[in-house]
Amino acid sequence: MRAIVGLAATAALLAAHTGAARAETPPWRKLTSFFITPYAPHQNDVIRVLLHCPDDSNHAIVGSTAFPLKGSWRSYREVGVGLSERGFGRRGIIISRYAPPGHHEVHMKCVKVTIDKATHLRKVKVLGRASEPLFVREFRVKQYF
């Protein structure tokens, strides 16, 4: 009799435990991923950035030395990317004519930004990081013909 009661209690505990495990978020929703296409653009081209951030993040920042603006003395530029409800984001970013040809590293940070309404102070918490290589080729007019 005790064995039957023990088996029933164990089965009930296992059923409750598996039900609780299913209620948790899937592990892929906590991952950070980052993809750039094409790998080797020319100067004055547009690259496409596709990314996924953890569910807690509400913004992503992509930065590289391949994105400088005309007339700017800064060699490194950061671009913001908005995220959807599931943490996916995409953006087209222009490779500048003034970007030096060669190898560059593109860095991505997934952040959670919270703003205090009373003081208007902003807190930025980094939740994930990733990086990708990028090879910038020299501008050629014949690429348009």
Side-chain angles (χ1 to χ4, degrees):
M1 181 76 170
R2 288 184 184 170
I4 295 172
V5 172
L7 281 171
T10 306
L13 284 174
L14 284 174
H17 185 334
T18 57
R22 289 182 188 152
E24 295 178 9
T25 59
W28 67 268
R29 305 241 350 222
K30 298 177 184 175
L31 293 177
T32 301
S33 61
F34 182 48
F35 182 71
I36 298 174
T37 184
Y39 164 72
H42 287 281
Q43 292 173 327
N44 206 32
D45 274 355
V46 177
I47 62 168
R48 190 162 179 85
V49 176
L50 305 169
L51 53 94
H52 178 263
C53 289
D55 280 347
D56 296 339
S57 59
N58 56 8
H59 196 71
I61 300 170
V62 178
S64 177
T65 54
F67 309 149
L69 294 173
K70 177 182 176 182
S72 176
W73 56 272
R74 293 181 186 235
S75 61
Y76 187 85
R77 179 175 154 219
E78 291 184 335
V79 179
V81 179
L83 300 176
S84 67
E85 295 174 3
R86 296 183 132 198
F88 293 101
R90 64 179 185 260
R91 172 126 190 220
I93 303 172
I94 296 174
I95 302 293
S96 174
R97 279 281 301 272
Y98 305 98
H103 293 280
H104 296 272
E105 196 72 23
V106 180
H107 301 281
M108 188 255 315
K109 291 188 288 191
C110 296
V111 295
K112 179 173 182 153
V113 180
T114 54
I115 299 175
D116 185 13
K117 290 185 179 183
T119 61
H120 299 288
L121 292 177
R122 187 171 70 133
K123 278 196 237 177
V124 178
K125 182 178 178 184
V126 177
L127 300 176
R129 296 175 187 263
S131 65
E132 282 278 321
L134 182 69
F135 182 73
V136 176
R137 297 181 289 168
E138 191 173 331
F139 176 78
R140 302 200 189 268
V141 175
K142 66 181 179 182
Q143 72 189 24
Y144 296 107
F145 298 105

